[in-house]
Amino acid sequence: MSDDDFRRGLEKRAEVMGQDFVDRAFAGDPEAFGQDFQRFLTEYAWGAAWGRGGLDNRERHMITIAVLAALGREKELEGHLRATVNTGVSERDLSDVLHQVAIYAGVPAALSAFNAAKRVLEK
């Protein structure tokens, strides 16, 4: 990957998750354990995948939420649910996505995701 991928990833990550989120991810000693992983995530997930075009942030965010819900990745799901205010994913969109999760990944996964969404939306 290149510095361009990293810069594009930083911009996209801040656009979707918020600048505070990005600042927290890169806080501390740049040589500390895990900081190279933050760069890796930023380059590949945010620069190469989220930054590749084709889908807009709203569409890509709904896909991400569906995958996280289907896999039962509740902590990451809650972070992305909070970030929906940055991408235009509405409560109705979330409900529709989680109904799809129920059909294709199972009711328990969708129920867990609905509960996570309720907790996030109540705040």
Side-chain angles (χ1 to χ4, degrees):
M1 296 255 85
S2 69
D3 285 340
D4 287 342
D5 294 318
F6 181 68
R7 279 192 296 278
R8 183 173 54 250
L10 279 175
E11 291 171 11
K12 185 60 75 171
R13 197 174 185 187
E15 186 180 328
V16 173
M17 300 301 290
Q19 188 62 51
D20 288 344
F21 180 92
V22 174
D23 291 345
R24 282 191 308 275
F26 286 98
D29 181 358
E31 299 300 317
F33 182 79
Q35 285 303 307
D36 58 337
F37 190 66
Q38 288 299 323
R39 183 175 176 99
F40 169 80
L41 287 175
T42 301
E43 288 176 353
Y44 286 92
W46 295 100
W50 277 80
R52 69 177 274 142
L55 301 173
D56 64 25
N57 286 347
R58 180 181 161 274
E59 294 165 330
R60 202 171 298 276
H61 215 184
M62 288 190 292
I63 293 166
T64 301
I65 288 166
V67 171
L68 291 171
L71 293 173
R73 302 298 193 259
E74 209 165 297
K75 181 178 180 194
E76 292 82 4
L77 175 62
E78 286 189 13
H80 278 277
L81 290 168
R82 282 190 297 276
T84 57
V85 299
N86 301 326
T87 57
V89 176
S90 69
E91 287 185 23
R92 174 57 194 252
D93 293 334
L94 285 175
S95 180
D96 288 348
V97 165
L98 297 179
H99 278 81
Q100 290 292 113
V101 169
I103 299 302
Y104 292 99
V107 171
L111 182 59
S112 179
F114 265 105
N115 288 333
K118 285 179 191 176
R119 284 192 304 272
V120 168
L121 294 172
E122 287 173 354
K123 291 183 181 177

